[in-house]
Amino acid sequence: MHVDPHLLRTFVTVAECGSFSAAASRLGYTQSAVSQHIATLESDLGTPLLRRRPVVPTPAGERLLEHAGPILLRLDAARADVRRTVADPPSTLTLAASPLAARSLATALAEVRRTYPGTETSLTVCGRDQVVAGIAAGTFTLGLVDGIATPSDPLNLTNAVQLRTTSVAHDSLVVALPTTHPLARPGRGLSLSDLADARWIDAPDLAAPLATLRAAAGSDALRPAFTYNGTDLHTLLTLIDSGHGLAVLPRSALTPNVAAVPLTTPRLVHRTELLHGHLSDPAAEAVATALSDHE
Amino acid sequence: MHVDPHLLRTFVTVAECGSFSAAASRLGYTQSAVSQHIATLESDLGTPLLRRRPVVPTPAGERLLEHAGPILLRLDAARADVRRTVADPPSTLTLAASPLAARSLATALAEVRRTYPGTETSLTVCGRDQVVAGIAAGTFTLGLVDGIATPSDPLNLTNAVQLRTTSVAHDSLVVALPTTHPLARPGRGLSLSDLADARWIDAPDLAAPLATLRAAAGSDALRPAFTYNGTDLHTLLTLIDSGHGLAVLPRSALTPNVAAVPLTTPRLVHRTELLHGHLSDPAAEAVATALSDHE
DNA sequence: CATGGTCGATCAGCGATACTGATGCACGTG
DNA sequence: CACGTGCATCAGTATCGCTGATCGACCATG
């Protein structure tokens, strides 16, 4: 017997809420039902998944959580994908992009609007995960996501959903620092290990998330001195220029008012990828081909 | 409400069997139950999924089928992954590899057996999909899969399961042809488009599947003149040498009795990747690190 | 140390569900 | 044209999954 997605859903909700009763009201169940859900899930898997009071996932629960999100996403994606084949293609082109990826759109989009003048277009800028989820759920027809990766690998998207991805652009990474910074000498590259103890700005929605950099550098340092939860590039650059800290950004994102030193080790690149489900709309297809990386 | 995995499972079984009643007996249900499953699935998604008599999937059904397999696999993987954290690590190291990937194992394995002499080892050579499925289901702790891909991309494995993958080796591709073949001149490369109308041997379990090559070349040609469903490299090389056709193989797989001309376009590489779930076993971890690509 | 409050576990009960087995109906076949 | 195969449908039943009530453990408070 398979793991029941309903139980999975209440499980992730409980884990998010940290409370059975809160999850119950969020899901429109009674606390009793939630308790039973977790109980059957635990007896089904033969191991406790949550420690109660306070409610925290056990190691086994952590493992299950890693799977649960993608599975639920994928189930929704399947439904959306099926509905897409039966419904006729929408007249509006709905696009989604993560903040730094959006810039790749303008030119390609202009070209397409010339050949398909009738299509209404909408663009939503949101977080990477939301782009993926939106594409999976069919809310968006085309998505652009940017991120950092090792040169030979693609972005490691929530690899749950069978989405077609194509590389749209790649760019080198630089360490952005104030022009007055001692390391702001052009010509030389920097290694992350040299900067382990620097003041870092973590701007996970915009720049390379520090957690990703830590993983790539295999370092436990690189702790944020400042966290910027926002998507406005100008604000981040101003923060950097004012000396609040450094950030790793794609070279093309920089303006002259901050200094940029190439990041040499670990070898990472900035990459933006196009993702979509099955395309039935010719206009969407045109955008997709217009965007494809002409390396 | 989510799509019910049970219904999904009977749906794929029906699609495989091409018959409701056959699927019913395969699943241990009555024909009535299967019919009801399909009916609820169709009403749930609001569209017919199967055309009856004969039983073939509708376009919408095809789309669902693409999702169904990965989803079911992933559900099993989740269960297996959870069970793995609770059960103590097995004493035997179970390895799986696709035929051409297996060769990468021997040296790394020897090194590990020196440091962990106690561990019993088993190696299963099977198809790529079965390696993935086995890793997902927890039957194998470590898997090696080979395949072809564009230079900057990893292998496109059944991207349903959240498996950790690491590149183990990469190799250039060559067109293998009989030594007497007119194109068997060393030094020059070949393009697939030059060979569109050649006699091809499709050996999907061993060499680059022709379907993959067609997709990469964007060509409708490259039709198999001969299909070899087997995993023995020597047999395939003999077939090639005897003039039954050409095949695209990694350079390292070749022996001197066939000629090899580098494949230049499309730009593709042969790559073998290591995949596994969470590793709790130190010996398995040692194998994993020993195998990692020291580029 | 006593007490009230919160939160999860448990239980009884009931409505919905998911099967089986029997029958009906459509299509392909001899 | 009749028959047989194979899916759809229907009634019946056992089980499941929910609610609402109750219980018990733990925490905060005076």
Side-chain angles (χ1 to χ4, degrees):
Chain A
M1 213 269 234
H2 287 128
V3 180
D4 187 335
H6 289 112
L7 307 186
L8 230 45
R9 191 170 64 111
T10 80
F11 174 62
V12 307
T13 315
V14 168
E16 276 174 18
C17 294
S19 150
F20 280 50
S21 15
S25 70
R26 167 112 74 97
L27 295 169
Y29 285 137
T30 48
Q31 174 267 318
S32 169
V34 169
S35 183
Q36 290 175 49
H37 277 185
I38 302 299
T40 58
L41 200 55
E42 288 182 329
S43 87
D44 193 25
L45 294 171
T47 178
L49 298 168
L50 294 169
R51 233 176 288 283
R52 325 295 156 103
R53 214 178 311 255
V55 173
V56 249
T58 62
E62 300 268 14
R63 313 308 338 279
L64 187 59
L65 275 178
E66 276 179 38
H67 289 276
I71 288 175
L72 296 175
L73 199 62
R74 183 69 125 103
L75 281 165
D76 290 347
R79 144 171 264 118
D81 213 356
V82 168
R83 297 208 62 83
R84 212 173 300 136
T85 66
V86 48
D88 31 22
S91 59
T92 75
L93 188 58
T94 53
L95 306 169
S98 57
L100 284 187
R103 59 179 55 216
S104 301
L105 265 176
T107 56
L109 213 50
E111 192 178 322
V112 169
R113 292 195 53 201
R114 233 169 285 130
T115 45
Y116 296 90
T119 46
E120 192 181 322
T121 312
S122 95
L123 169 62
T124 309
V125 173
C126 56
R128 292 171 245 266
D129 290 349
Q130 291 166 58
V131 176
V132 176
I135 294 287
T139 0
F140 306 128
T141 52
L142 244 44
L144 278 175
V145 176
D146 77 302
I148 64 173
T150 57
S152 68
D153 285 355
L155 296 180
N156 205 9
L157 302 172
T158 317
N159 70 357
V161 206
Q162 190 143 14
L163 296 176
R164 271 139 272 264
T165 69
T166 24
S167 175
V168 164
H170 45 317
D171 191 4
S172 58
L173 285 173
V174 297
V175 180
L177 18 73
T179 43
T180 60
H181 196 283
L183 287 172
R185 291 170 303 165
R188 300 196 55 89
L190 279 174
S191 165
L192 270 190
S193 49
D194 301 338
L195 296 165
D197 299 321
R199 292 181 58 85
W200 284 99
I201 303 182
D202 195 12
D205 297 332
L206 198 52
L210 281 185
T212 313
L213 293 179
R214 272 199 298 274
S219 157
D220 270 348
L222 297 175
R223 292 292 158 184
F226 191 109
T227 303
Y228 171 57
N229 287 312
T231 63
D232 183 41
L233 182 59
H234 185 69
T235 306
L236 177 61
L237 292 176
T238 310
L239 285 170
I240 293 169
D241 187 37
S242 327
H244 287 99
L246 319 180
V248 171
L249 285 168
R251 151 148 284 144
S252 61
L254 293 203
T255 51
N257 61 324
V258 299
V261 182
L263 179 70
T264 51
T265 42
R267 284 189 64 220
L268 292 170
V269 294
H270 180 259
R271 170 168 290 158
T272 102
E273 290 184 358
L274 174 72
L275 47 154
H276 56 265
H278 257 271
L279 294 180
S280 41
D281 183 5
E285 228 162 324
V287 178
T289 55
L291 277 169
S292 296
D293 200 354
H294 320 286
E295 12 189 347
Chain B
M1 215 269 236
H2 287 127
V3 180
D4 186 335
H6 288 113
L7 307 186
L8 230 44
R9 191 169 64 112
T10 81
F11 174 63
V12 306
T13 315
V14 169
E16 275 174 18
C17 295
S19 149
F20 280 49
S21 15
S25 70
R26 168 113 72 100
L27 295 168
Y29 286 137
T30 50
Q31 172 267 318
S32 169
V34 168
S35 184
Q36 290 174 49
H37 277 187
I38 302 299
T40 59
L41 200 55
E42 288 183 327
S43 86
D44 193 23
L45 294 171
T47 178
L49 298 168
L50 293 169
R51 232 177 289 285
R52 325 296 157 100
R53 212 181 310 258
V55 174
V56 261
T58 62
E62 300 269 13
R63 315 305 342 277
L64 187 60
L65 275 177
E66 275 178 41
H67 289 278
I71 288 176
L72 296 175
L73 199 63
R74 183 67 125 106
L75 281 165
D76 290 346
R79 143 171 264 117
D81 213 358
V82 167
R83 296 207 62 83
R84 211 173 301 136
T85 66
V86 48
D88 32 21
S91 58
T92 76
L93 187 58
T94 52
L95 306 169
S98 56
L100 285 187
R103 58 178 58 215
S104 299
L105 265 175
T107 56
L109 214 49
E111 192 178 322
V112 168
R113 292 195 53 200
R114 233 170 285 130
T115 45
Y116 296 91
T119 45
E120 192 182 322
T121 312
S122 95
L123 169 63
T124 308
V125 173
C126 55
R128 293 172 244 268
D129 290 349
Q130 291 166 58
V131 175
V132 176
I135 294 287
T139 1
F140 306 128
T141 52
L142 244 44
L144 278 176
V145 177
D146 78 301
I148 63 173
T150 58
S152 67
D153 285 354
L155 296 181
N156 205 12
L157 302 173
T158 316
N159 68 0
V161 207
Q162 191 142 15
L163 296 177
R164 271 139 272 263
T165 68
T166 24
S167 176
V168 163
H170 44 319
D171 191 4
S172 58
L173 285 173
V174 296
V175 180
L177 18 75
T179 43
T180 59
H181 196 281
L183 288 171
R185 292 170 302 166
R188 301 196 53 90
L190 279 174
S191 165
L192 270 191
S193 48
D194 302 338
L195 296 165
D197 300 320
R199 290 182 59 83
W200 285 98
I201 303 182
D202 196 12
D205 295 334
L206 199 52
L210 281 186
T212 313
L213 292 179
R214 273 199 297 274
S219 156
D220 270 349
L222 296 176
R223 293 290 158 183
F226 190 110
T227 303
Y228 171 56
N229 287 311
T231 63
D232 182 39
L233 182 58
H234 185 70
T235 307
L236 177 60
L237 293 176
T238 310
L239 284 171
I240 293 168
D241 186 37
S242 326
H244 287 99
L246 319 181
V248 171
L249 285 167
R251 151 148 283 143
S252 62
L254 293 203
T255 51
N257 61 325
V258 300
V261 182
L263 180 70
T264 51
T265 41
R267 284 189 64 219
L268 292 171
V269 294
H270 179 259
R271 170 167 289 156
T272 103
E273 290 184 357
L274 174 72
L275 47 154
H276 56 264
H278 256 270
L279 294 179
S280 41
D281 183 4
E285 228 162 323
V287 178
T289 54
L291 277 170
S292 297
D293 201 355
H294 319 286
E295 15 188 345

